Amino acid sequence: MSSPSAADVSDASLYNWPYSSASYRVRIALALKGLRPERIIDINLRNGEQQQPQYMAVAPQGLVPALRFAEVTLTQSLAIMEWLEEVSSEPPLLPKDPLARARVRAFALSIACDIHPINNPRVLNYLRQEFARDEPDITKWYRHWVEAGLAACERLVTEARNPTDIFCFGTVPTIADICLVPQLYNARRFQCDLSSCPTLVAIDEAASQVPAFAAAHPEQNPALTV
């Protein structure tokens, strides 16, 4: 089988949950690249559809998103975005300069690997079910890790930021911004205190004016069953 290309995305199925920040990232990346899967299949995380055998056969971890095409399934949002960057170079989601690329990746990983995993539904549900934590405790847990993580991300950006920058690391969106925007969306859902990250909030506002970010917003991609 030949290696899949960007053209294969037009025949792809994107397994998605509108309110999943990982799914949100991939929707932004696809929109920025001007790519649209043929099918978007919602996997309702609130109803546990991600653990059903038919979806586990697609994505053994039971996580969204998954992009399936040409007998290939890609999982993990960052891996999907890196693949999109490799097969569809315009517009670029990573800068050309090696140091700048490393900074973008470090920021993206700070969100995708340090903040998001300990606050996703399966972790919060485990706290509820196995440790009998009530909703105030769950919310306190969520806010603590998100607020601490975003405060660190604020420093990552401001230490490397130029006065002319609009987005995290430059004047055009990168994978860093693609990871930031969904995380801030979820932070607001949980009423997190964002006062420690004014630069990130300003970047989020700038991104909201970009059509691809607006098109990927959960409110523009409502699930059939919320």
Side-chain angles (χ1 to χ4, degrees), residues 45-46 50-51 56 59-64 76 112 116-131 138 141:
L45 303 188
R46 295 175 186 170
Q50 71 276 23
Q51 298 299 322
M56 296 288 283
Q61 287 181 291
L63 301 173
V64 291
Q76 294 293 336
H116 174 241
I118 57 175
N119 291 294
N120 71 10
R122 64 178 181 169
V123 170
L124 301 184
N125 285 335
Y126 194 80
L127 292 174
R128 291 183 183 100
Q129 295 162 8
E130 298 299 323
F131 295 99
I138 298 296
W141 166 283

Side-chain angles (χ1 to χ4, degrees), residues 25-26 29-30 33 67 74-89 92-95 101-102 104-106 108-109 174-176 178-179:
R25 294 171 202 149
V26 170
L30 287 165
K33 296 286 187 182
L67 186 66
L74 296 178
T75 60
Q76 294 293 336
S77 62
L78 288 182
I80 294 171
M81 291 191 290
E82 291 269 3
W83 177 81
L84 290 172
E85 181 72 355
E86 290 174 2
V87 300
S88 178
S89 59
L93 303 181
L94 288 166
R101 289 168 77 92
V104 166
R105 285 187 169 120
L109 289 168
T174 65
I175 286 175
I178 293 173
C179 288

Side-chain angles (χ1 to χ4, degrees), residues 207-218:
S208 72
Q209 306 304 310
V210 177
F213 281 83
H217 195 280

